Amino acid sequence: MNRFAPTLVVSAALLIGAGTAQAAMPDAATLYKNPQCGCCDEYARQLEALGVEVTIVDDVPIGQVKERAGLPYGLGSCHTIEMGEYIIEGHVPFEAVERLFEEYPDTDGIGLAGMPIGTPGMPGPKQDDWNVYQFRAGEAQPYMTL
């Protein structure tokens, strides 16, 4: 037997596993934002680097989008994303987004209030814990802390 065969088998298994985890996220998303917000554009670019095609919509009133999505009052951010059957509010770290699409919980979506430094699209080093929430019908509950 070839001495590299075990290494090749392990490498192939790792690659297949990585592809499976990535495949859980939808192929497309729609990001709603204000036209002047550059950090939203950066979040979209980083999401595209994960293989998600992002359509940016910046010509609708963002408040109406958030209201229609059922976001909890006071927990908004600068952009709202429709992705698969969920809403992603703000600069949610991709670890939380990937978990959402791996687990498919019974929720309307997840969010991260404000614009925390160090999150995807926001420059600078992480300064505090990020408390990602999940929501349903305008009510928020903790989802995960990163």
Side-chain angles (χ1 to χ4, degrees), residues 87-89 92 96-97 100 108-112 132-135 143:
I87 300 296
I88 314 294
E89 176 64 14
V92 176
V97 176
L100 177 72
D108 292 340
I110 59 175
L112 182 61
V132 178
Y133 63 89
Q134 62 181 326
F135 64 94
Y143 183 64

Side-chain angles (χ1 to χ4, degrees), residues 16-145:
I16 290 169
T20 302
Q22 185 65 29
M25 287 184 38
D27 294 336
T30 302
L31 185 146
Y32 299 91
K33 70 177 202 73
N34 290 318
Q36 299 83 12
C37 193
C39 63
C40 301
D41 293 328
E42 180 58 30
Y43 191 92
R45 281 190 287 276
Q46 291 183 26
L47 193 55
E48 287 173 334
L50 294 175
V52 178
E53 183 179 327
V54 180
T55 300
I56 296 176
V57 178
D58 60 6
D59 61 351
V60 298
I62 192 73
Q64 290 176 5
V65 171
K66 293 176 186 309
E67 185 176 334
R68 184 181 76 228
L71 288 171
Y73 181 77
L75 294 179
S77 185
C78 55
H79 63 262
T80 303
I81 299 172
E82 291 177 348
M83 189 171 182
E85 59 196 57
Y86 292 112
I87 300 296
I88 314 294
E89 176 64 14
H91 292 267
V92 176
F94 297 125
E95 180 180 344
V97 176
E98 289 169 350
R99 176 179 163 192
L100 177 72
F101 288 104
E102 288 169 1
E103 296 178 352
Y104 283 99
D106 184 21
T107 189
D108 292 340
I110 59 175
L112 182 61
M115 299 165 65
I117 293 173
T119 54
M122 292 299 298
K126 180 179 179 183
Q127 296 181 346
D128 296 309
D129 287 342
W130 300 323
N131 297 310
V132 178
Y133 63 89
Q134 62 181 326
F135 64 94
R136 184 168 218 30
E139 297 293 323
Q141 295 180 327
Y143 183 64
M144 70 187 299
T145 300

